[in-house]
Amino acid sequence: AYLMSRTLVRPLLHLTDHAKALPQVDFTAPRSEGGPISRGSLEEMARQRVDEVGRLAEAFQFMEKSLRENVARLVQVTGERERMAGELKAARDIQEGLLPKTFPAFPSRSDFDLYADLISARDVGGDLYDFYLLDDRHLFFVIGDVSGKGVPAALFMAVTRTLLKVMAEQGMEMTPLINRVNDALSLDNPNCMFVTLFAGVLDLQTGNTSFVNAGHNQPMLVQPDGTCGILEDVSGPALGAMEGMDFATYQTVLKPGGGLVLYTDGVTEAFDADHTEYGEDRFETFVRTHADAGPRDMVSGLVADVHEHAAGTEQSDDITVLSLRYHGSSE
């Protein structure tokens, strides 16, 4: 009886030891190097024994083979994800490099001041802002929001920014400039993407501001006495939706000490844990309360207020804010 029991139990003990050793096995190594039972012994046990022990050995073989395949697949997927993460980081660096990040942007100018910030919801985003002097007298500024998120939105954003810059530097008026950008974006747009934007040109001698609002959030106009109002004029729909659109140009005047606060819907559509929006009312209240703040304090304070409202809730959309303050001509 003792010899019989030893004969029956010995292979089970071998399989038990093999199972206990599996957590320490390197499943990326060749199969012959794994476990206390060699590959040949395990296969021989499964082949020669036709009883429950043989079936158990077959199950061990199948389990080990599946583990090796799954580990190999996991290593491959992890490598691809690491490669994609590296590429997305590079894309984010390139995208951030497209946008002006140095402030004060024009330290030698005393007739105006501005500040902007963009916080992407993903590695790369679809929001944009830009500003540059067309000449010594005129400042071009723009803020926009591309439909969708991720890499497609980032590419569409880069194309939009490039078109705006090239055409604005040609000295075009606002209406033909935006019309041509719209036609260029609509011409080859198989994914039917679009971008809302607010673009303007500020005359730094007079404060006269020509602007186009292509379906974008209406900015706040801040007066020197601290009163605020909304620029309600809308020039047309978003860019890229349809060719042949004619976008109207509107006018406003920035008085010395006044300015504009522009934003994307990532501000007003920021949600807290209860799915409550930050909302336009809270945005307008913040701007009115901090009407005397400089551009940097206005933008930083507004972004901080949005984060306070979200209270750690995952950001659902890109957040972009641009604040412009006109101090008046030095002449």
Side-chain angles (χ1 to χ4, degrees):
Y2 174 76
L3 293 176
M4 182 66 68
S5 64
R6 288 291 302 271
T7 303
L8 294 174
V9 171
R10 186 181 297 111
L12 295 178
L13 294 176
H14 285 318
L15 291 175
T16 301
D17 293 337
H18 186 75
K20 291 180 179 179
L22 285 178
Q24 285 75 43
V25 173
D26 180 7
F27 287 100
T28 61
R31 288 184 59 190
S32 59
E33 300 178 9
I37 301 180
S38 66
R39 176 181 176 183
S41 298
L42 192 62
E43 292 178 349
E44 182 180 356
M45 185 183 300
R47 184 176 62 255
Q48 292 183 352
R49 301 191 64 114
V50 295
D51 54 4
E52 288 79 1
V53 175
R55 288 194 291 271
L56 185 59
E58 290 179 355
F60 269 78
Q61 278 186 295
F62 177 77
M63 178 183 66
E64 185 176 346
K65 179 182 177 181
S66 300
L67 284 173
R68 291 185 183 278
E69 292 175 350
N70 291 335
V71 169
R73 191 179 301 113
L74 179 61
V75 169
Q76 180 182 1
V77 171
T78 302
E80 292 177 354
R81 287 183 177 178
E82 290 177 351
R83 178 181 57 81
M84 291 179 61
E87 293 178 354
L88 286 174
K89 183 180 183 303
R92 183 186 183 95
D93 294 339
I94 293 173
Q95 183 183 33
E96 291 181 351
L98 295 175
L99 304 177
K101 288 288 187 180
T102 302
F103 296 99
F106 306 96
S108 61
R109 304 292 300 244
S110 60
D111 45 356
F112 72 97
D113 187 19
L114 55 79
Y115 188 81
D117 196 10
L118 188 157
I119 301 96
S120 297
R122 297 185 180 179
D123 291 313
V124 289
D127 279 9
L128 68 98
Y129 71 83
D130 206 355
F131 50 83
Y132 34 84
L133 288 169
L134 300 176
D135 52 43
D136 192 58
R137 177 173 174 172
H138 295 92
L139 172 71
F140 181 89
F141 59 94
V142 62
I143 189 171
D145 185 1
V146 177
S147 61
K149 297 178 179 64
V151 175
L155 293 174
F156 202 80
M157 164 269 194
V159 172
T160 303
R161 176 192 173 276
T162 302
L163 289 171
L164 285 168
K165 189 174 182 64
V166 170
M167 296 182 184
E169 291 179 345
Q170 294 177 1
M172 300 176 64
E173 298 293 331
M174 290 299 296
T175 290
L177 185 155
I178 300 301
N179 289 347
R180 290 188 60 180
V181 172
N182 174 68
D183 291 342
L185 293 175
S186 305
L187 183 61
D188 189 12
N189 188 9
N191 294 324
C192 299
M193 300 187 71
F194 59 87
V195 54
T196 67
L197 63 81
F198 184 99
V201 175
L202 169 63
D203 187 328
L204 297 171
Q205 289 190 5
T206 64
N208 292 331
T209 304
S210 304
F211 68 89
V212 170
N213 187 344
H216 196 71
N217 303 82
Q218 297 162 329
M220 292 284 287
L221 175 63
V222 180
Q223 300 292 355
D225 60 0
T227 59
C228 301
I230 300 175
L231 288 181
E232 298 181 349
D233 299 306
V234 177
S235 307
L239 303 186
M242 182 183 301
E243 291 183 71
M245 299 295 298
D246 189 24
F247 292 84
T249 299
Y250 295 96
Q251 304 287 333
T252 189
V253 178
L254 297 184
K255 299 177 182 178
L260 290 169
V261 180
L262 303 89
Y263 66 102
T264 60
D265 58 10
V267 173
T268 54
E269 295 179 4
F271 295 98
D272 62 9
D274 297 326
H275 208 67
T276 302
E277 286 187 343
Y278 183 83
E280 294 182 359
D281 291 341
R282 182 164 175 172
F283 164 75
E284 295 173 11
T285 300
F286 182 90
V287 174
R288 289 190 174 95
T289 305
H290 300 80
D292 58 343
R296 181 184 290 270
D297 293 337
M298 175 67 77
V299 173
S300 301
L302 180 58
V303 171
D305 195 50
V306 171
H307 288 322
E308 180 182 349
H309 170 78
T313 304
E314 183 180 1
Q315 185 178 332
S316 60
D317 199 0
D318 303 330
I319 296 174
T320 305
V321 185
L322 187 150
S323 179
L324 169 64
R325 182 61 58 93
Y326 176 61
H327 299 302
S329 173
S330 58
E331 300 178 1

